[in-house]
């Protein structure tokens, strides 16, 4: 039985599951509001899908395998980045970007400011996470609430982390659903299921052209059922590569239908399609392959965030706000504004 008085007491200690951008934005704003925050992250470091992967030897750098670039349309997002990431670790990626229309003709993409992390996408989330309490390599498996209505989180190694009066969940929807269901919170999971748009997979291949590709553009979206996007990662600011590293993203439906394909076959398929679509004749000499099981939502969604007041569980993430980097910011910032409006945190944080 929930004591309704307690559901109005201000938040003092909050656990956040996931340290992608949404988790980091929520943590930063909660901390400013005087709340003690701990982030739990299953991977080795923060960043989530704003990910870079070390390139295979003899290369000495990394490539952005997840988010390729992001928009900064919301002035509050710019302000947040300037304040908490600084001005050195992100900047504009300028270049020629094209797409192929239904008739097969190449068109320029709409002019837009495209921002990237410098020297890699994950530099931004690294910078924001400095000073936050991020427990990396901890995969949360279950949530349990005690008589005092405080949450304890249990990780997959059996470790327990307790004393939180609220929990913010930021993993992609299938993982959030699983966490809620395994915690006996199937009503919340059901509610989630009504709202979610399924995330699609994305096979990613990174290829190296030692003498350059001669593609003549920095990024393109072909009219292809195999290849969704190709980008010259070495053309982004602050990269210092020999030759050109290209990032190829598989079509979402094709990736979904082929999640079990052997990585070598994925590589051959996407490379052949890249060469066919771009007309590039250079041959690459080095590769890496990565599979995203949850990359981007199939459809755009607009709930922003979820707040289950009785349980004091929040859900935030890009998939609740358009499915992109800026959506992850907007989702978490919207949650913080909601908590302020409900008197659960002070208004020291900056509402958006
Ligand atoms: C291939 C690809 C291409 C993309 N291209 C673009 C693009 O060009 N532009 C753009 O704006 N966006 C793009 N995106 C989307 C963008 O990356 C996301 O919108 C954004 O990074 C999502 O941030 P988030 O914090 O909501 O989620 P995430 O970054 O997914 O963060 C969730 C975090 O939760 C962690 N986690 C999950 N389960 C648990 C658990 N049980 N315990 C602990 N931790 C857990 C995960 O490891 C992860 O770090 C792309 C994504 C992919 C994969």
């Amino acid at each position: 039985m929930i004591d309704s008085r307690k559901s109005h007491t201000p938040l003092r200690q909050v656990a956040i599951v996931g340290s992608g951008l949404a988790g980091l934005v929520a943590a930063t704003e909660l901390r400013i509001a005087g709340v003690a925050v701990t982030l739990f992250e299953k991977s080795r470091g923060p960043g989530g899908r704003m990910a870079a992967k070390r390139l295979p030897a003899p290369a000495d750098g990394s490539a952005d395998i997840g988010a390729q670039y992001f928009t900064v349309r919301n002035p509050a997002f710019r302000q947040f980045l300037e304040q908490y990431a600084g001005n050195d670790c992100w900047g504009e990626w300028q270049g020629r970007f094209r797409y192929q229309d239904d008739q097969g003709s190449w068109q320029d993409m709409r002019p837009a400011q495209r921002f990237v992390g410098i020297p890699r996408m994950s530099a931004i989330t690294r910078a924001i996470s400095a000073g936050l309490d991020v427990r990396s390599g901890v995969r949360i498996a279950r949530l349990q609430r005690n008589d005092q209505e405080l949450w304890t989180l249990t990780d997959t190694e059996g470790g327990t982390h307790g004393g939180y009066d609220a929990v913010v969940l930021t993993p992609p929807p299938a993982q959030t659903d699983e966490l809620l269901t395994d915690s006996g919170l199937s009503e919340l999971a059901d509610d989630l299921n009504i709202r979610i748009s399924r995330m699609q997979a994305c096979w990613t291949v990174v290829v190296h052209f030692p003498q350059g590709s001669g593609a003549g553009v920095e990024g393109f979206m072909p009219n292809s059922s195999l290849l969704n996007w190709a980008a010259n990662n070495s053309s982004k600011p602050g990269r210092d590569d020999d030759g050109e590293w290209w990032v190829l993203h598989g079509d979402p439906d094709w990736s979904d239908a082929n999640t079990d394909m052997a990585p070598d076959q994925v590589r051959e398929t996407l490379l052949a399609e890249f060469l066919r679509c771009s007309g590039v004749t250079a041959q690459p000499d080095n590769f890496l392959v990565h599979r995203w099981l949850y990359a981007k939502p199939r459809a755009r969604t607009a709930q922003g965030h979820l707040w289950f007041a009785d349980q004091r569980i929040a859900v935030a993430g890009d998939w609740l706000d358009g499915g992109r980097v800026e959506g992850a910011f907007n989702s978490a910032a919207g949650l913080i504004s909601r908590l302020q409006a409900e008197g659960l945190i002070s208004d020291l944080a900056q509402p958006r």
Side-chain angles (χ1 to χ4, degrees), residues 18 20-22 41-42 48-49 66-69 138 140 171 317-318 324-325:
L21 185 66
E41 171 55 55
K42 72 177 170 60
R49 280 170 282 150
Q68 296 295 291
Y69 62 83
V138 181
I140 300 303
D318 69 323
R324 307 190 75 76
V325 168

Side-chain angles (χ1 to χ4, degrees), residues 52-276:
K53 198 160 182 168
R54 190 166 285 285
L55 293 167
D60 179 29
S62 56
D64 300 337
I65 55 166
Q68 296 295 291
Y69 62 83
F70 56 91
T71 54
V72 184
R73 297 193 178 107
N74 180 350
F77 186 28
R78 179 180 290 274
Q79 192 189 334
F80 181 90
L81 287 174
E82 287 173 352
Q83 201 163 347
Y84 300 107
N87 286 314
D88 297 337
C89 67
W90 62 290
E92 196 176 343
W93 180 28
Q94 290 176 333
R96 288 146 299 173
F97 300 94
R98 296 198 300 171
Y99 73 95
Q100 205 171 16
D101 65 22
D102 291 344
Q103 283 72 47
S105 303
W106 288 99
Q107 311 287 349
D108 287 336
M109 284 190 189
R110 259 188 312 142
Q113 280 196 299
R114 298 176 173 85
F115 293 96
V116 296
I118 300 173
R120 60 189 67 86
M121 194 55 95
S122 55
I124 298 169
T125 44
R126 283 260 166 220
I128 299 170
S129 69
L132 292 173
D133 180 7
V134 183
R135 314 267 170 95
S136 296
V138 181
R139 181 193 281 260
I140 300 303
R142 246 185 13 260
L143 318 173
Q144 208 169 8
R145 208 179 194 195
N146 68 14
D147 294 344
Q148 280 81 50
E149 296 185 356
L150 295 176
W151 287 103
T152 294
L153 282 59
T154 304
D155 64 44
T156 46
E157 301 299 310
T160 54
H161 315 269
Y164 300 104
D165 45 23
V167 181
V168 179
L169 303 176
T170 69
Q175 291 166 330
T176 295
D177 181 354
E178 191 182 337
L179 192 48
L180 290 171
T181 304
D182 291 351
S183 306
L185 296 163
S186 32
E187 285 162 41
L188 273 53
D190 288 347
D191 196 276
L192 197 74
N193 273 314
I194 299 167
R195 301 162 192 258
I196 62 172
S197 165
R198 201 174 62 76
M199 303 284 273
Q200 293 195 278
C202 179
W203 272 113
T204 301
V205 175
V206 187
V207 292
H208 181 239
F209 295 96
Q211 313 301 333
S213 67
V217 291
E218 277 65 50
F220 67 86
M221 296 184 83
N223 182 4
S224 161
S225 58
L226 301 174
L227 183 65
N228 176 247
W229 161 257
N232 177 0
N233 195 77
S234 304
S235 71
K236 293 180 177 180
R239 276 67 176 172
D240 187 22
D241 302 327
D242 288 330
E244 287 177 12
W245 284 93
W246 279 73
V247 174
L248 317 181
H249 280 162
D251 172 77
D253 291 336
W254 175 80
S255 297
D256 262 353
N258 292 286
T259 51
D260 293 332
M261 188 181 268
D264 281 353
Q265 200 185 341
V266 170
R267 185 189 80 192
E268 281 167 27
T269 307
L270 291 186
L271 175 60
E273 187 67 351
F274 167 77
L275 296 175
R276 186 187 74 76

Side-chain angles (χ1 to χ4, degrees), residues 12 159 286:
R12 288 184 309 259
N286 210 345

Side-chain angles (χ1 to χ4, degrees), residues 279-295:
V280 166
T281 53
Q283 284 302 314
D285 65 350
N286 210 345
F287 309 87
L288 73 81
V289 180
H290 180 87
R291 184 186 66 174
W292 292 99
L293 278 178
Y294 309 111

